[in-house]
Amino acid sequence: MRILVVEDERLLADAIAEWLREESHAVDVAGDGAAALERVGVNDYDVVVLDRDLPLVHGDEVCRRMVAGGSEARVLMLTAAAEVGDRVAGLSLGADDYLTKPFAMPELAARVLALGRRTRPGTPPVLRRAGITLDPARREVTRDGRYVSLSKKEFAVLFELLRADGTVVSAEHLLEKAWDEHADPFTGAVRLAILKLRRKLGDPQVIDTLPGVGYRIA
């Protein structure tokens, strides 16, 4: 998934981003509310991890503007305020979940994964197609019962292909979801990841290429 972490404490932001990248997500980082709104306006995020107490533009206002602008990204709001009234206030702004500081990274990652499934209604916890089983929570992939070892990017690309449920996924979409904002769209990274996936998944080949359109798992 493509995730934006908005946190002005740089060490915490980097720690969250690194943890989520280890979970095979593409992660961008913003250090203030203004930068967050700029990135949300440009990129198609699945989940935004949003600190509430931000400089320049408060996290509440960021959330409010995202909702008003029709953003489909799910919002996990972070805050040091643990009172029930604070949580209710955050959720009433349009946040989808609420996590108080300090928190455990595995819990944050689990909540992000759960929110990500809700960006596309009906996405099951475990994805299955053409003999392939992908478990995002365990980060495990099997093909006809055989364990398949994938890199983080290969896992992310396969996740998007399986989540499409047989429909075509463009190279641009895969680049958007599996790589962060620093990715060079002219590197051929998507094509290379597809080639490696085909080799690792083995025969019979299940990833179709539609020239000029994209890829699909039939």
Side-chain angles (χ1 to χ4, degrees):
M1 293 185 295
R2 186 75 179 272
I3 300 166
L4 175 63
V5 175
V6 190
E7 169 61 61
D8 62 323
E9 295 182 26
R10 189 67 196 191
L11 290 178
L12 178 57
D14 289 344
I16 294 172
E18 183 61 28
W19 189 281
L20 293 174
R21 287 174 183 136
E22 287 296 320
E23 299 286 321
S24 299
H25 302 302
V27 184
D28 298 330
V29 176
D32 59 70
L37 289 170
E38 180 180 355
R39 284 171 171 79
V40 168
V42 173
N43 300 312
D44 180 21
Y45 293 107
D46 295 290
V47 178
V48 175
V49 179
L50 179 65
D51 183 41
R52 194 172 184 188
D53 188 16
L54 291 171
L56 299 186
V57 180
H58 195 274
D60 288 359
E61 182 63 19
V62 172
C63 187
R64 187 180 294 109
R65 292 189 196 178
M66 286 178 60
V67 172
S71 173
E72 296 183 357
R74 302 293 182 176
V75 176
L76 172 59
M77 188 169 280
L78 304 178
T79 181
E83 296 297 326
V84 172
D86 294 309
R87 295 198 297 272
V88 171
L91 294 171
S92 67
L93 292 167
D96 299 279
D97 199 0
Y98 199 98
L99 189 60
T100 57
K101 300 177 180 178
F103 52 82
M105 288 292 185
E107 181 182 3
L108 181 143
R111 287 174 182 254
V112 165
L113 188 59
L115 288 176
R117 289 199 296 266
R118 291 164 55 187
T119 60
R120 294 187 185 181
T123 301
V126 177
L127 302 176
R128 295 183 175 89
R129 191 173 187 86
I132 302 169
T133 299
L134 183 149
D135 186 335
R138 295 178 179 272
R139 295 189 64 251
E140 291 182 352
V141 174
T142 60
R143 170 82 189 274
D144 296 325
R146 173 180 61 87
Y147 177 76
V148 181
S149 178
L150 301 179
S151 71
K152 297 170 190 174
K153 295 304 182 190
E154 292 159 3
F155 187 95
V157 169
L158 182 60
F159 177 85
E160 291 299 325
L161 291 173
L162 290 173
R163 189 161 73 161
D165 198 25
T167 60
V168 178
V169 182
S170 69
E172 291 78 12
H173 177 86
L174 292 174
L175 192 67
E176 170 81 14
K177 295 299 184 181
W179 282 264
D180 61 25
E181 62 187 354
H182 302 295
D184 184 345
F186 302 107
T187 60
V190 172
R191 182 179 60 84
L192 181 59
I194 293 291
L195 288 174
K196 290 182 177 180
L197 270 176
R198 285 179 173 142
R199 186 182 76 247
K200 291 183 177 182
L201 290 172
D203 294 321
Q205 295 293 310
V206 293
I207 302 178
D208 296 332
T209 299
L210 285 75
V213 182
Y215 307 92
R216 71 179 176 190
I217 295 180

